Amino acid sequence: MKIWDKGFSVNDKIEKFTVGKDRILDGYLAKYDAIASKAQANMLSKVGIISADDNLKLQIALDDILKEIENGNFLIDENFEDVHSKIEAELIIKTGDAGKMIHTARSRNDQVLVAIQLFLKEYLTETKTKVLELIDILVNKADEHKNDLMPGYTHFQAAMPSSFGMWFSAYAENLLSDLFFLDAAFKVADQNPLGSGAGFGTSFPIDRKATTKELGFSEMAVSSVGAQMLRGKSEKSTAVAISMICGTLSKMSYDLVMYNSQDMGFVKLPKEMTTGSSIMPHKKNPDVFELTRAHCNRLQGLPNDIILTINNLPSGYHRDFQILKEILFEPMVQFNDILDILIFALPQIQITEGFMNQEKYDSIYTVENINHLLQTGTSFRDAYKIVGISVDEGNYIPHKEFQTSHLGSIHNLGLEEIREKINRYKK
């Protein structure tokens, strides 16, 4: 069945190509199509297009379909083009002529778009919860290891003293900044396109405010043409948000891979979290962070994939938009899997003791030696030369006893301030 069926058959090759992966990917949208159809039926009844009796039949049937979806029993077989035709066919079977009325004043364009908007809203909400959980873990780890020093690096060279408190809190605060992109994506998705039809509205006296309220949208996409232009914009906004968070998580994973190496040896993982080598029995590989890094790097390409697919399209609906489901839906699930594994793995990271006592890290205290000379009245430029010469001539003795005081430094991490930022965000 096709909801655009006019009594003739499409060539099998054309049908297979145009349907693509919709029967599989539309499983993500089934719940939201049924929810939007409930709102559509309620609205049609309210304005007198269908009877209250027919609406009751439709509501009961759609609740049954939602239960099938929840139980995993709702399948889109090859007799149907997509989830929308499948649900309409089920409604006709269950309710007769009432099911044939559900598409009144609705196009598949706004039907698909409202389901995608609802799907993205729920996904972004769940994703934000996971990222906030990860942020809390990082802040707690920062507090736990606030007194554990480590070398800070620039240009892949040991530069100045840092600490694991600074390192963990840095990623917590950066992820908090990334959440603003999730918020922006949610704002784009939180607009109701239902009622815009094929992009030009309808002559029926529908009530778009009623469906906006019932579906939990904060706003309506008012212009029917503009509502259709959300297709692609909503997906791109979600992809950008995922990409921004992945940029942070990839960098963090790369750090942990290096820090876990024998050459650095700053952190270690429980053996249960590592993999081995088929030939080298000593190996304990941090594959979880290597794969996180790789997946996150790939996911950062999502916005570019979407741009290349739809960037040159004029206004109105085009079948090109169908490809966005293939580009985005499964990577969205993979991204949440990444968050889940990091939420599991990060609390188990252990900090190695004693590595800062190695002579190779003595040079990171050169700035402290300069600061010490400044306190005795030496100018900065003279102190810089004195310390530099002592390093070159081999008589440099590191000044390891130092204390920072400004907010955001080793001995004043500002964790309370960071927690306040997090709490303000959560409100």
Side-chain angles (χ1 to χ4, degrees):
M1 175 185 170
K2 301 173 182 65
I3 55 180
W4 52 268
D5 181 57
K6 295 182 286 290
F8 62 87
S9 298
V10 176
N11 180 277
D12 288 344
K13 287 186 177 180
I14 296 295
E15 179 172 359
K16 183 177 180 181
F17 182 76
T18 55
V19 169
K21 296 182 178 180
D22 266 13
R23 294 188 185 100
I24 298 171
L25 296 173
D26 275 6
Y28 293 108
L29 299 179
K31 168 185 171 182
Y32 308 97
D33 188 79
I35 290 171
S37 292
K38 283 173 65 67
Q40 173 80 355
N42 279 331
M43 183 274 295
L44 292 176
S45 176
K46 177 185 175 183
V47 301
I49 295 175
I50 66 173
S51 68
D53 184 56
D54 280 350
N55 182 38
L56 180 60
K57 293 176 183 177
L58 288 169
Q59 297 298 326
I60 293 171
L62 285 164
D63 284 338
D64 288 342
I65 290 171
L66 282 167
K67 288 178 183 176
E68 289 180 37
I69 295 168
E70 184 179 352
N71 295 330
N73 298 324
F74 184 85
L75 300 175
I76 307 169
D77 56 63
E78 292 188 0
N79 294 317
F80 300 96
E81 186 178 23
D82 54 27
V83 66
H84 317 291
S85 55
K86 168 71 173 180
I87 287 179
E88 184 168 320
E90 288 287 317
L91 290 177
I92 293 171
I93 292 171
K94 293 174 183 291
T95 68
D97 286 344
K100 296 179 182 179
M101 292 293 291
I102 189 68
H103 205 62
T104 305
R106 184 172 73 171
S107 165
R108 186 164 61 170
N109 291 4
D110 62 337
Q111 185 179 3
V112 173
L113 184 49
V114 71
I116 289 174
Q117 296 286 92
L118 290 170
F119 169 54
L120 293 180
K121 278 184 63 178
E122 186 167 305
Y123 172 83
L124 292 166
T125 300
E126 292 174 353
T127 300
K128 183 194 293 190
T129 300
K130 291 178 186 291
V131 175
L132 283 169
E133 185 177 355
L134 192 58
I135 288 171
D136 285 338
I137 290 170
L138 288 165
V139 173
N140 290 336
K141 293 291 282 186
D143 204 3
E144 179 185 353
H145 296 291
K146 59 188 176 185
N147 296 320
D148 293 324
L149 293 183
M150 63 180 288
Y153 283 79
T154 63
H155 305 279
F156 271 98
Q157 298 186 66
M160 288 181 67
S162 182
S163 74
F164 279 100
M166 288 184 71
W167 186 86
F168 282 115
S169 63
Y171 280 106
E173 200 170 7
N174 269 260
L175 284 173
L176 189 63
S177 296
D178 293 335
L179 283 179
F180 296 132
F181 292 89
L182 272 184
D183 291 339
F186 184 90
K187 191 71 174 175
V188 174
D190 194 21
Q191 302 176 77
N192 179 28
L194 188 59
S196 61
F200 314 102
T202 176
S203 57
F204 282 101
I206 60 173
D207 187 347
R208 296 191 63 203
K209 290 183 178 179
T211 57
T212 298
K213 182 178 180 180
E214 181 172 344
L215 291 171
F217 286 103
S218 295
E219 295 182 309
M220 181 199 308
V222 179
S223 165
S224 291
V225 172
Q228 290 298 316
M229 291 168 67
L230 287 171
R231 190 74 193 272
K233 184 181 290 291
S234 295
E235 292 94 332
K236 190 193 300 183
S237 300
T238 298
V240 168
I242 290 173
S243 174
M244 292 302 296
I245 299 169
C246 280
T248 302
L249 296 181
S250 174
K251 189 185 296 289
M252 181 180 71
S253 297
Y254 197 160
D255 281 354
L256 288 171
V257 170
M258 289 195 302
Y259 296 168
N260 182 247
S261 68
Q262 292 97 327
D263 291 334
M264 291 188 175
F266 304 161
V267 302
K268 58 183 177 181
L269 303 176
K271 60 183 179 181
E272 297 82 5
M273 286 179 56
T274 62
T275 62
S277 163
S278 63
I279 189 172
M280 297 169 284
H282 68 285
K283 293 293 293 295
K284 292 183 177 66
N285 301 322
D287 286 6
V288 62
F289 295 117
E290 292 177 4
L291 290 172
T292 298
R293 178 178 60 192
H295 286 312
C296 284
N297 286 340
R298 289 189 64 206
L299 289 174
Q300 288 181 78
L302 283 177
N304 192 52
D305 279 354
I306 292 174
I307 289 169
L308 290 174
T309 303
I310 64 171
N311 199 48
N312 61 344
L313 298 180
S315 62
Y317 177 78
H318 311 276
R319 196 64 180 264
D320 309 55
F321 291 124
Q322 177 179 323
I323 306 300
L324 300 185
K325 290 187 280 188
E326 295 184 26
I327 293 173
L328 189 59
F329 284 9
E330 291 180 356
M332 286 166 61
V333 175
Q334 182 184 58
F335 176 60
N336 271 356
D337 289 342
I338 290 169
L339 293 174
D340 286 336
I341 200 64
L342 289 175
I343 287 168
F344 170 76
L346 284 175
Q348 303 185 59
I349 291 174
Q350 301 166 8
I351 306 304
T352 307
E353 296 181 359
F355 65 86
M356 286 290 285
N357 296 326
Q358 299 176 76
E359 184 179 345
K360 64 180 179 180
Y361 295 129
D362 283 354
S363 62
I364 67 173
Y365 298 96
T366 55
V367 175
E368 295 307 324
N369 280 45
I370 292 173
N371 292 344
H372 184 67
L373 287 173
L374 291 176
Q375 293 168 8
T376 65
T378 308
S379 69
F380 175 83
R381 203 44 69 196
D382 288 342
Y384 181 91
K385 291 179 180 178
I386 291 169
V387 174
I389 291 170
S390 71
V391 171
D392 288 342
E393 293 181 351
N395 54 25
Y396 159 74
I397 300 174
H399 185 74
K400 296 185 178 182
E401 299 300 322
F402 69 100
Q403 189 74 24
T404 64
S405 59
H406 72 79
L407 192 60
S409 63
I410 293 174
H411 301 109
N412 186 9
L413 295 176
L415 295 183
E416 288 308 309
E417 285 78 4
I418 292 174
R419 286 192 174 104
E420 285 178 11
K421 288 176 69 171
I422 295 167
N423 290 334
R424 284 197 302 270
Y425 177 85
K426 289 179 179 179
K427 293 176 181 178

